[in-house]
C-alpha cells in the first residue's frame, strides 16, 4: 500500500521542468495554488486546469501518474464533493427526497470544488515529480533566507528536512525488519479488527522509536566530528543558479494567473 | 612529532549533583599515558568494556578527560575555543555506517564536512572527488546510501572524513557490523590512507587480523593499557593475550599450537604467507634429518 503513493515522489528526467531552478518552480507552484483559489468561474478554473495539463506536457510526466497519485486522497475528494452537493442551497431546486435536496448551485459548487482539489493535488505533485527532495530543500532554505533576520531557524529547518529524507528509507527497512521479527514470534499484524491491529502495532513502534533515538544520538556525534556547528560560515557544494528559461517559465505562469483572475471579473463569463 | 599525546588520562562516566560535584560513577579509564606519532598506524585492542571506545572519544574532544590531559597537535581538548581546530585535525569513523551518513546522496554527504568548514564550492568539488576516489566509491557518487552495501556505506563515511583533510583518523570498530567482504574493503582503504596519504590511523578493533597489519598495537584491559608494542611482540605472547580474553591471529595460534607439540616455529608469525613458509621450512629441515 505504501508504495502506491506517488505524491511526493521524484521521477528523474531531463525536461525543461526538471532542469528549472527549484526556487522558481516552488514560486510557480505557489502562484498556481493562488490561481486556483482566485478562480471565480468555470472558465477561469478551466484555464487554470489547462495550464496544469500544459505543465505536465512540458515536464514529460504522464497524466496517468497524477491520476494514480490521486487514489489515496480519493475519499477526501468525494467527501468534499458530496458535502457541497447536499448542503449548498440556492438556484433551482432540482431533486428532493425527504430531507435531502439538491439545488443547482450545489451541483455547480461541488463540481467546482472537485476540479479545484484535483488540480491542486496534481499541480503540487508535479513539483515533487520533477524536483529532487534535496533541490526542494535547497530552494526552501534559499527562499526563506530573509527570515533569518527575525531569528527564524531556516538552516536548522532545512537540515532537519535533509536528515528526515535521508532516514526515510532506512527507517522503512527497519520497520520491515521489526515486523518480520515480531511475526516470527507469532504477532498477528494483518488480521483481526482495527482495534486488534492497532494494538499489534505497539510492539513494532516501540523498538522502532528506540532505534530511531539511538540513530539520532549517533548521527549527532558523527556530525559534530565532522565540524558541524550550525549554518553560520557554512558553504554549499551546489549553489542554485537561475537561467533565462526560469524567467520565461515564471512569466508564462504569471500571465496565466493574470488571465485567470481577469476572467473572474468579467460578468458575462460563467 | 606527536599528533596525539595523552598524559595521566582518567575518565569516569558518572552522575553529578546540583553543584556539579561527582557523586558516583564508574571509572572507565585509569591513568593512561599514550602518544601517537604522526604518520603511524596504531591499533588499540581490548575486549568489551575495556574502555577502548571511551579512549577514542577522548582523542578529538567528544569527551573531556576527568583527569589528565589530551593534546592534539599541542592543543588541549579541554579548551573549547580550540575544539573546532582539533576536530578538523582528528576525524572519526564509527561502527554503524548508517548512523554517520547525513545526506540522501553520496556526494552530498561527502561534502558535508567541507561545507561546514566553509570551503568555497569549487574547492569542495575537488576535495570530494579526490576523497571519493581514495575511498573507491567515486562511481557511486550519485547513489542514495540505502542502495549501497555495508562496506560501501562505511567507505562513504570514510570519504566524508577524508574530505575534511584531517591529519589523523580514529576508527572506532569500523568493521564490527560488516560482512567479511565489507570488512576487507574497509581495511584495505584504511591501510591505503595510511601508506599513500600519510594520514595517521588509530584503529580500534577486536579483529586480531586487522591489528596485525599496523605498526604498533596497544592492548587495553579494565581501563588500562596493559601491553604496547609491535604486532609481533604483542601477539607472540599468546598466553598473555588469552588471559586478557583476546585472541591472536589464526596463523599465530596455529604456530603456537604446533610449538606446544614440539615444533620450533618463530612465535611472531602474523600472516599466512610467512606461516606457510615457516611450516615448509620446518618440514624440509626435519625430513632431511
Amino acid at each position: 500500500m505504501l508504495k502506491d503513493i506517488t505524491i511526493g515522489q521524484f521521477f528523474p528526467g531531463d525536461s525543461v521542468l526538471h532542469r528549472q531552478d527549484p526556487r522558481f518552480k516552488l514560486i510557480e507552484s505557489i502562484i498556481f495554488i493562488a490561481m486556483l483559489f482566485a478562480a471565480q468561474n468555470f472558465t477561469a478554473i478551466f484555464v487554470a486546469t489547462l495550464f496544469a495539463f500544459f505543465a505536465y506536457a512540458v515536464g514529460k510526466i504522464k497524466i496517468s501518474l497524477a491520476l494514480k497519485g490521486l487514489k489515496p486522497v480519493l475519499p477526501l475528494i468525494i467527501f468534499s464533493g458530496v458535502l457541497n452537493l447536499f448542503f449548498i442551497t440556492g438556484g433551482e431546486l432540482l431533486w428532493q427526497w425527504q430531507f435531502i435536496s439538491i439545488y443547482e448551485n450545489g451541483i455547480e459548487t461541488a463540481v467546482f470544488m472537485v476540479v479545484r482539489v484535483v488540480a491542486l493535488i496534481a499541480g503540487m505533485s508535479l513539483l515533487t515529480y520533477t524536483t529532487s527532495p534535496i533541490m526542494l530543500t535547497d530552494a526552501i532554505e534559499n527562499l526563506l533566507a530573509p527570515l533569518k533576520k527575525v531569528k527564524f531557524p531556516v538552516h536548522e529547518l532545512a537540515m532537519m528536512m535533509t536528515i528526515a529524507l535521508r532516514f526515510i528509507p532506512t527507517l522503512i527497512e527497519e520497520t520491515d525488519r521489526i515486523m518480520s521479527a515480531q511475526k516470527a514470534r507469532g504477532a498477528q499484524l494483518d488480521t483481526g479488527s482495527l482495534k486488534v491491529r492497532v494494538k499489534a502495532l505497539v510492539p513494532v513502534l516501540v523498538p522502532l522509536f528506540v532505534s530511531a533515538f539511538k540513530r539520532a544520538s549517533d548521527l549527532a556525534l558523527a556530525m559534530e566530528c565532522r565540524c558541524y556547528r550550525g549554518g553560520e560560515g557554512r558553504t554549499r557544494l551546489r549553489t542554485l543558479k537561475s537561467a533565462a528559461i526560469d524567467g520565461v517559465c515564471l512569466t508564462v505562469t504569471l500571465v496565466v494567473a493574470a488571465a485567470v483572475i481577469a476572467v473572474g471579473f468579467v460578468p458575462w463569463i460563467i | 612529532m606527536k599528533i596525539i599525546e595523552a598524559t595521566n588520562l582518567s575518565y569516569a562516566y558518572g552522575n553529578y549533583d546540583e553543584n556539579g560535584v561527582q557523586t558516583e560513577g564508574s571509572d572507565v579509564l585509569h591513568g593512561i599515558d599514550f602518544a601517537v606519532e604522526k604518520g603511524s598506524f596504531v591499533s588499540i585492542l581490548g575486549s568489551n568494556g575495556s574502555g577502548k571506545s571511551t579512549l577514542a572519544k577522548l582523542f578529538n574532544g567528544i569527551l573531556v578527560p576527568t583527569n589528565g590531559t589530551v593534546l592534539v597537535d599541542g592543543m588541549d581538548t579541554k579548551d573549547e575555543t580550540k575544539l573546532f581546530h582539533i576536530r578538523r585535525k582528528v576525524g572519526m569513523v564509527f561502527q554503524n555506517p548508517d548512523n554517520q551518513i547525513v545526506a540522501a546522496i553520496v556526494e552530498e554527504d561527502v561534502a558535508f564536512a567541507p561545507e561546514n568548514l566553509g570551503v568555497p564550492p569549487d574547492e569542495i568539488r575537488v576535495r570530494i572527488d579526490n576523497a571519493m576516489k581514495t575511498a573507491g566509491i567515486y562511481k557511486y557518487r550519485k547513489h542514495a546510501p540505502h542502495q549501497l552495501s555495508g562496506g560501501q556505506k562505511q567507505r562513504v563515511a570514510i570519504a566524508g572524513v577524508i574530505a575534511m583533510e584531517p591529519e589523523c583518523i580514529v576508527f572506532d570498530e569500523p568493521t564490527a557490523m560488516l560482512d567479511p567482504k565489507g570488512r576487507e574493503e574497509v581495511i584495505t582503504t584504511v591501510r591505503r590512507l595510511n601508506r599513500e596519504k600519510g594520514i595517521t590511523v588509530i584503529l580500534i578493533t577486536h579483529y586480531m587480523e586487522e591489528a596485525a597489519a599496523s605498526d604498533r598495537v596497544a592492548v587495553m584491559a579494565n581501563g588500562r593499557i596493559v601491553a604496547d608494542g609491535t604486532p609481533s611482540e604483542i601477539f607472540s605472547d599468546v598466553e598473555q593475550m588469552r588471559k586478557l580474553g583476546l585472541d591472536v591471529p589464526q596463523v599465530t595460534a596455529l604456530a603456537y599450537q604446533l610449538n606446544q607439540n614440539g615444533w620450533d616455529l618463530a612465535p611472531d608469525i602474523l600472516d599466512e604467507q610467512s606461516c606457510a613458509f615457516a611450516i615448509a621450512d620446518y618440514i624440509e629441515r626435519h625430513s632431511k634429518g
Side-chain angles (χ1 to χ4, degrees):
Chain A
M1 204 194 98
L2 268 172
K3 59 181 183 285
D4 289 341
I5 300 173
T6 57
I7 300 176
Q9 255 182 354
F10 169 53
F11 296 96
D14 196 35
S15 72
V16 175
L17 273 195
H18 283 90
R19 274 177 285 135
Q20 237 204 312
D21 185 326
R23 288 172 295 183
F24 280 79
K25 256 189 280 184
L26 195 61
I27 293 173
E28 283 153 19
S29 303
I30 293 166
I31 295 173
F32 179 68
I33 298 176
M35 198 190 298
L36 285 175
F37 283 97
Q40 294 297 327
N41 50 35
F42 276 106
T43 313
I45 202 108
F46 179 72
V47 172
T49 313
L50 212 59
F51 177 67
F53 274 104
F54 170 70
Y56 268 79
V58 172
K60 293 190 181 133
I61 299 283
K62 288 198 190 82
I63 300 284
S64 60
L65 199 66
L67 295 178
K68 225 197 238 166
L70 285 175
K71 231 196 277 172
V73 278
L74 203 59
L76 193 78
I77 296 170
I78 292 172
F79 181 71
S80 71
V82 169
L83 214 64
N84 280 303
L85 188 62
F86 292 126
F87 289 98
I88 301 276
T89 54
E92 207 179 318
L93 179 63
L94 296 175
W95 187 73
Q96 196 167 26
W97 180 71
Q98 297 194 353
F99 61 90
I100 301 172
S101 47
I102 295 175
Y103 292 90
E104 200 179 32
N105 284 6
I107 294 183
E108 259 172 37
T109 319
V111 172
F112 202 78
M113 278 307 286
V114 168
V115 172
R116 184 183 268 169
V117 171
V118 168
L120 181 76
I121 294 168
M124 291 322 283
S125 301
L126 185 63
L127 174 67
T128 64
Y129 289 160
T130 59
T131 318
S132 80
I134 295 173
M135 293 296 253
L136 208 54
T137 313
D138 280 3
I140 292 170
E141 181 171 10
N142 200 289
L143 287 174
L144 292 181
L147 288 181
K148 274 181 198 157
K149 290 220 171 72
V150 292
K151 305 260 181 214
F152 186 79
V154 176
H155 166 76
E156 284 75 4
L157 198 74
M159 187 49 97
M160 268 157 46
M161 281 176 66
T162 308
I163 292 172
L165 288 167
R166 146 79 184 90
F167 276 94
I168 286 170
T170 309
L171 290 178
I172 287 180
E173 221 170 82
E174 182 136 325
T175 314
D176 265 348
R177 212 168 30 236
I178 295 171
M179 277 167 84
S180 302
Q182 303 295 36
K183 274 184 197 161
R185 291 190 278 172
Q188 309 251 309
L189 295 176
D190 27 41
T191 48
S193 68
L194 189 65
K195 200 177 154 200
V196 171
R197 274 198 250 180
V198 169
K199 258 191 175 166
L201 272 182
V202 174
V204 172
L205 291 179
V206 170
L208 186 65
F209 269 80
V210 170
S211 121
F213 281 118
K214 167 94 177 83
R215 281 180 196 282
S217 124
D218 279 3
L219 186 71
L221 201 62
M223 284 169 76
E224 249 190 280
C225 282
R226 284 159 79 184
C227 295
Y228 180 68
R229 47 175 182 180
E232 215 151 305
R234 209 166 178 264
T235 48
R236 297 307 304 269
L237 168 63
R238 264 179 305 92
T239 40
L240 298 171
K241 284 192 198 81
S242 44
I245 187 75
D246 297 318
V248 174
C249 292
L250 184 64
T251 314
V252 171
T253 315
L254 281 172
V255 168
V256 175
V260 166
I261 292 168
V263 161
F265 284 118
V266 182
W268 43 267
I269 294 178
I270 55 147
Chain B
M1 266 295 265
K2 293 185 171 53
I3 176 90
I4 289 172
E5 215 172 347
T7 359
N8 192 27
L9 190 63
S10 297
Y11 188 79
Y13 289 101
N15 305 318
Y16 296 85
D17 64 19
E18 59 268 36
N19 302 319
V21 180
Q22 197 174 341
T23 49
E24 56 172 311
S26 48
D27 284 15
V28 186
L29 300 176
H30 319 267
I32 286 181
D33 292 305
F34 190 72
V36 177
E37 286 289 333
K38 266 188 188 162
S40 62
F41 182 166
V42 184
S43 293
I44 300 178
L45 286 174
S47 53
N48 286 337
S50 61
K52 54 190 194 307
S53 281
T54 308
L55 184 62
K57 290 194 179 99
L58 285 158
F59 287 157
N60 68 346
I62 290 179
L63 298 178
V64 175
T66 319
N67 265 313
T69 53
V70 178
L71 297 180
V72 173
D73 216 14
M75 295 178 284
D76 193 333
T77 57
K78 274 185 190 141
D79 185 352
E80 274 191 35
T81 58
K82 297 263 171 64
L83 264 188
F84 188 72
H85 298 282
I86 287 170
R87 292 205 176 126
R88 72 190 288 180
K89 270 197 197 305
V90 180
M92 204 155 172
V93 174
F94 296 92
Q95 198 180 83
N96 189 338
D98 261 329
N99 298 358
Q100 306 171 59
I101 298 174
V102 184
I105 288 178
V106 167
E107 64 172 14
E108 290 273 325
D109 183 73
V110 177
F112 183 69
E115 285 178 340
N116 289 337
L117 297 175
V119 176
D122 298 340
E123 205 196 318
I124 295 183
R125 181 42 71 188
V126 177
R127 276 200 192 194
I128 64 168
D129 283 353
N130 284 336
M132 288 188 292
K133 280 172 189 158
T134 307
I137 48 153
Y138 187 69
K139 62 178 167 198
Y140 307 117
R141 64 191 180 282
K142 299 281 183 197
H143 283 54
H146 66 96
Q147 297 170 312
L148 304 178
S149 74
Q152 288 164 345
K153 274 189 270 194
Q154 194 61 292
R155 285 185 289 152
V156 171
I158 294 174
V161 175
I162 305 172
M164 195 163 76
E165 299 186 343
E167 287 177 32
C168 173
I169 303 180
V170 181
F171 294 88
D172 188 359
E173 303 199 36
T175 59
M177 300 184 73
L178 306 180
D179 56 13
K181 188 168 167 281
R183 199 180 302 156
E184 182 63 41
E185 289 168 5
V186 167
I187 287 303
T188 313
T189 311
V190 171
R191 266 184 225 151
R192 199 167 50 228
L193 285 183
N194 180 249
R195 300 228 173 102
E196 290 170 19
K197 305 275 164 186
I199 295 174
T200 312
V201 168
I202 300 175
L203 175 68
I204 292 168
T205 182
H206 53 234
Y207 289 108
M208 305 302 142
E209 275 76 10
E210 291 173 3
S214 52
D215 305 333
R216 177 180 159 204
V217 177
V219 182
M220 286 190 72
N222 302 318
R224 290 192 170 80
I225 291 178
V226 289
D228 191 345
T230 64
S232 33
E233 283 166 10
I234 299 292
F235 291 125
S236 55
D237 195 351
V238 177
E239 272 140 59
Q240 160 81 357
M241 288 297 279
R242 295 220 164 129
K243 224 180 280 168
L244 294 168
L246 293 169
D247 247 327
V248 295
Q250 280 182 347
V251 283
T252 317
L254 174 65
Y256 175 76
Q257 287 289 335
L258 290 171
N259 287 344
Q260 293 282 303
N261 288 296
W263 290 43
D264 59 347
L265 302 178
D268 59 351
I269 290 170
L270 293 176
D271 62 276
E272 280 143 33
Q273 204 178 2
S274 54
C275 181
F277 279 129
I279 293 171
D281 182 51
Y282 179 89
I283 293 169
E284 201 173 317
R285 271 188 284 136
H286 288 258
S287 59
K288 273 178 192 160

